[in-house]
Structure formats: structure tokens, C-alpha cells
Amino acid sequence: MRDKEAKTKASRAMQRARQWKGLSAELQSQTRNIATLLHDSGIIHDRRHRLTMHSKVFFGNEAVDWLMETGKVHSREEGEELGRMLVVGDFIHDIYDTRDFQDKA
């Protein structure tokens, strides 16, 4: 089972790398800048999920709230799309690395 999971993760990583290379240099730069600002935003904390402690995490809805409050996006849909770009650029990932960015807790 773990071998299959490892192959799936590797496949997802390669797919994201191809998507990232397909983005314009301007969009890549903007996404990098947002990642830096998000890192310094204060929404990233250590949190417990079930019995596991995860360090440096945030909920998707918190990121979208922050993006809207700071004027980086004008709608929750734009925020979710920007979150997906952060995943594609490998700046953030789901704690289990199984889902794309979602605007929810």
C-alpha cells in the first residue's frame, strides 16, 4: 500500500511541476510574492489534527479570508484559485498531500 501511495504522490508532484512550468513568468512571480506574504501573515500556526500535531499549518478558509482582507483577491473564488496556484508552485500542500487547495476549515 505504501508503495502505491508513494507512486501517487510522485505522480502528483510531477503533474504540479508541469503545471508550474506552463504558467507565465509574471504569474509565477506574483505567486511567489503571495507565498512570502502569506508566510509572514500570522495565520500559520502549529495545530493538532486528531492525534497528530502539525507544525506551520493553516486552514484554507483562513488563507482566503486573509487574501480578501489584504486586497490580494476580490472574491472567495479568486482566493481559492490563488491557493491552487500556491499548491502548484509547491509553496503549500495539504497535510496529507492528497487534496488540492480548498476554501474550508
Side-chain angles (χ1 to χ4, degrees):
M1 182 72 169
R2 288 185 184 219
D3 190 41
K4 184 177 180 180
E5 289 174 13
K7 287 180 182 178
T8 300
K9 283 185 179 184
S11 175
R12 287 175 52 89
M14 289 187 336
Q15 181 182 13
R16 287 191 305 263
R18 282 192 301 272
Q19 287 176 310
W20 181 252
K21 288 179 183 177
L23 298 176
S24 69
E26 181 180 353
L27 187 53
Q28 287 181 4
S29 177
Q30 290 171 349
T31 305
R32 272 190 212 94
N33 291 338
I34 294 294
T36 300
L37 294 171
L38 182 63
H39 181 269
D40 298 333
S41 69
I43 67 167
I44 300 172
H45 305 284
D46 295 345
R47 296 182 190 222
R48 182 174 304 284
H49 181 256
R50 298 186 180 146
L51 298 177
T52 305
M53 187 67 153
H54 298 280
S55 61
K56 301 179 184 174
V57 298
F58 59 88
F59 292 117
N61 65 323
E62 294 172 329
V64 173
D65 289 345
W66 175 81
L67 289 166
M68 291 186 66
E69 288 167 8
T70 58
K72 306 297 181 215
V73 298
H74 301 290
S75 70
R76 300 202 74 79
E77 292 78 17
E78 285 180 23
E80 195 166 44
E81 184 60 32
L82 183 50
R84 288 188 190 107
M85 290 299 101
L86 291 166
V87 171
V88 166
D90 206 26
F91 297 105
I92 63 172
H93 62 91
D94 176 65
I95 59 173
Y96 300 112
D97 205 21
T98 58
R99 294 184 296 212
D100 287 328
F101 183 88
Q102 297 177 353
D103 179 14
K104 57 183 176 178

